[in-house]
Amino acid sequence: MNIDLQHGEPGQNVCTLKQRIPRPGMRIIKSAAAIILCYFVSFLRGNNGIVFYSQLAALWCIQMYTASTFKNAGQRLTGTIIGALYGLVFLLIRGQLVSNAVLSFGEMAFQMMNAAVISAMVILVLYTTVLIKKKQASYFSCVVFLSIVVNHASDINPYLFVWNRFLDTVIGILIGLLVNTVSLPRKKQKDILFVSGLDDTLLDGKDTMSDYSRVELNRMLDEGVNFTISTMRTPASLMEPMRDIRLRLPVIVMDGAALYDISENRYLKTFSLTGDETAELLELVDSLGLMCFTNVILQDTMVIYYQETEEEVHSRLVARLRRSPLRNYVCRRPSAEAEALYLMLLYPKEISEQFYETLKSRGMTERFKILFYDSVNYPGYSYIKIYNKNASRERMLSELKQILGLEKTVTFGSIPGKYDEVVHGDMNRVVHVLRKRYEPVVWSRSAKPL
């Protein structure tokens, strides 16, 4: 059985991936393009100004996300304006006082006075950024101010440097914005629901996502792609590795037993065992001297009932997993009318096999959806999970499509023949294909997406 990560074992994966040297990302390529464009503009200007400052400003604007690009551009421009204005004020003051100060106090005294004035004006520079609520620009304001008053105050024409310093920065900002925001014409396919598995698909064997996939996926999510996750994980186990991903659509969790709204922290749809079914299964477990973890949804909260056992692995599992605010472990039996979302047993493999055969002999493998597989975190142990017969990812996907009003879907997974796009070994493939399908290049309004 090919399944992704089970409840209770975050951070592990059954797939061993080959280590690959990552290809240069677009941010690297865009940075190089911005540098050469700064040189080109400098040549057109007759090499007036200092291209270095343009290049610094351009690189500062080459960010992973468009919003960050404009934010950084604003910081850089604001800081440059403030620093240049105070630098100009200092030059005007210095031009009037320098000759008199040298004659009256001597060169050494003048240098000390000069240092004191510069230090005092740094206070004004920083305080100005506070007054206009642009504290993020304080560093750049000081850099520009000090580059003027420390390195170029004695130039033949320092005012020309102030102007060129400002112009160089503006040129760099414009080039950075141009390079980072201009792209080929693309048509966004917002009538398609993209659904991806998690383990062996987006995450590698260390339960992490590549930098490329994280950045590109967040960019497309910000731009409105209809993308969600379908996984065996619980919401708690899902959110741990996906905490930096800006998912906005409900996710299919617990192998289709529930549809969970991340933003609202609530369950939109569940396929639970009935109260009678839950009681019947718990009675069977008790009669065999076993213990199971009974997962119940109470007012959109996952409550996991269990009892103390002599199995050390049970104590270890509870101690590790109860730290999540999305998991609530209660050491007692559930109420008689409880409707479990699923039951989970974790025992040595031979005991699990015997219990599975008992379920099979009583026809319960036909009445319920039952998963039986080996544990990764606990060698020699196996899981058995018992769900409502109707709990499936495909059925829950149909529910989600109705909620969103979407008909078209593209699915990603690791099982050949089950998904539209099969992913195996290349954890960037989901995002590569997603980008091609979500925003294909178009060359004219009448042309079809490539």
Side-chain angles (χ1 to χ4, degrees):
M1 179 179 295
N2 192 333
I3 54 178
D4 63 358
L5 197 71
Q6 57 269 22
H7 165 75
E9 297 199 355
Q12 297 293 331
N13 196 307
V14 298
C15 178
T16 299
L17 302 176
K18 296 180 179 179
Q19 297 296 324
R20 292 181 173 84
I21 298 176
R23 295 180 298 177
M26 283 304 299
R27 190 178 180 185
I28 295 175
I29 296 172
K30 288 180 178 181
S31 296
I35 294 299
I36 193 65
L37 285 175
C38 287
Y39 275 122
F40 179 72
V41 173
S42 179
F43 294 152
L44 293 180
R45 294 178 60 206
N47 292 319
N48 291 321
I50 301 176
V51 70
F52 170 73
Y53 294 119
S54 296
Q55 293 167 338
L56 287 183
L59 290 175
W60 180 252
C61 294
I62 304 296
Q63 296 295 314
M64 294 183 291
Y65 306 116
T66 301
S68 299
T69 295
F70 284 98
K71 178 182 177 181
N72 283 16
Q75 289 178 4
R76 191 83 186 198
L77 182 60
T78 301
T80 300
I81 292 173
I82 294 172
L85 287 176
Y86 276 106
L88 185 60
V89 169
F90 175 84
L91 293 178
L92 292 173
I93 296 174
R94 189 178 188 277
Q96 295 293 325
L97 300 180
V98 61
S99 57
N100 294 332
V102 171
L103 292 174
S104 302
F105 304 105
E107 181 66 27
M108 180 62 70
F110 168 73
Q111 294 296 336
M112 295 177 62
M113 184 186 301
N114 187 68
V117 172
I118 291 175
S119 300
M121 290 194 69
V122 167
I123 296 176
L124 292 176
V125 171
L126 292 173
Y127 190 54
T128 300
T129 64
V130 174
L131 290 177
I132 65 175
K133 298 181 179 180
K134 296 292 184 180
K135 290 187 287 185
Q136 298 88 347
S138 59
Y139 171 76
F140 301 111
S141 299
C142 289
V143 168
V144 173
F145 171 73
L146 293 174
S147 69
I148 293 171
V149 302
V150 174
N151 293 329
H152 296 276
S154 59
D155 288 359
I156 297 176
N157 189 350
Y159 305 106
L160 179 61
F161 172 78
V162 173
W163 166 247
N164 281 328
R165 181 71 171 84
F166 171 76
L167 185 59
D168 289 335
T169 300
V170 171
I171 290 172
I173 289 173
L174 293 176
I175 289 175
L177 290 174
L178 175 69
V179 171
N180 216 36
T181 57
V182 172
S183 63
L184 294 173
R186 296 179 181 273
K187 179 177 176 61
K188 294 178 173 56
Q189 309 295 315
K190 295 192 176 183
D191 61 338
I192 301 176
L193 174 60
F194 298 92
V195 185
S196 174
L198 201 59
D199 302 279
D200 300 344
T201 309
L202 273 174
L203 302 182
D204 62 17
K206 296 182 179 179
D207 213 26
T208 59
M209 185 183 301
S210 72
D211 291 338
Y212 166 80
S213 290
R214 185 182 69 256
V215 170
E216 279 298 297
L217 182 55
N218 273 333
R219 180 188 63 78
M220 288 184 280
L221 287 168
D222 290 343
E223 294 177 0
V225 63
N226 292 309
F227 176 86
T228 191
I229 299 294
S230 178
T231 179
M232 181 179 283
R233 295 185 183 227
T234 62
S237 182
L238 164 71
M239 293 307 298
E240 288 165 5
M242 300 293 284
R243 58 185 175 273
D244 295 329
I245 305 302
R246 296 189 279 273
L247 295 170
R248 56 184 178 81
L249 298 185
V251 292
I252 299 170
V253 293
M254 292 173 275
D255 211 41
L259 184 65
Y260 183 70
D261 189 327
I262 295 175
S263 60
E264 297 293 331
N265 292 324
R266 66 189 184 98
Y267 291 87
L268 303 180
K269 176 74 176 180
T270 59
F271 289 112
S272 299
L273 299 165
T274 66
D276 290 340
E277 290 172 336
T278 302
E280 177 187 4
L281 289 165
L282 289 175
E283 183 179 349
L284 174 61
V285 171
D286 288 343
S287 69
L288 297 174
L290 302 176
M291 188 279 292
C292 70
F293 295 89
T294 306
N295 297 262
V296 180
I297 304 298
L298 296 178
Q299 298 181 348
D300 289 318
T301 300
M302 173 71 81
V303 179
I304 307 167
Y305 297 96
Y306 72 103
Q307 292 85 47
E308 296 287 355
T309 70
E310 295 181 358
E311 288 285 348
E312 181 185 355
V313 69
H314 293 160
S315 300
R316 289 163 53 195
L317 184 147
V318 172
R320 182 163 57 92
L321 298 184
R322 73 184 318 155
R323 300 169 186 170
S324 169
L326 296 177
R327 298 187 185 99
N328 300 276
Y329 283 87
V330 178
C331 187
R332 67 173 177 83
R333 290 182 61 85
S335 62
E337 66 277 6
E339 297 183 349
L341 196 59
Y342 71 95
L343 275 63
M344 184 184 81
L345 290 86
L346 175 61
Y347 277 95
K349 187 169 185 178
E350 59 273 16
I351 296 178
S352 297
E353 287 176 341
Q354 293 172 9
F355 181 67
Y356 183 80
E357 289 301 321
T358 300
L359 293 172
K360 189 174 181 181
S361 66
R362 298 191 179 204
M364 290 184 171
T365 53
E366 301 298 326
R367 293 172 51 201
F368 304 105
K369 173 183 172 180
I370 300 177
L371 300 181
F372 175 28
Y373 53 91
D374 295 336
S375 170
V376 175
N377 277 349
Y378 309 106
Y381 283 75
S382 296
Y383 282 97
I384 289 183
K385 292 184 181 179
I386 307 174
Y387 299 86
N388 181 303
K389 185 68 174 180
N390 295 320
S392 71
R393 302 193 201 190
E394 293 77 15
R395 189 182 295 270
M396 198 58 81
L397 177 56
S398 297
E399 296 285 342
L400 179 58
K401 288 166 62 178
Q402 291 183 14
I403 293 174
L404 300 177
L406 297 173
E407 290 295 329
K408 300 178 184 178
T409 60
V410 174
T411 58
F412 302 85
S414 58
I415 305 175
K418 187 175 180 180
Y419 299 97
D420 299 320
E421 295 288 342
V422 177
V423 179
H424 184 70
D426 182 2
M427 299 299 103
N428 286 326
R429 178 169 171 76
V430 171
V431 174
H432 278 309
V433 176
L434 176 61
R435 184 181 182 188
K436 290 180 181 178
R437 292 221 182 188
Y438 168 62
E439 47 183 14
V441 176
V442 291
W443 296 108
S444 68
R445 291 184 178 179
S446 59
K448 294 182 179 180
L450 297 179

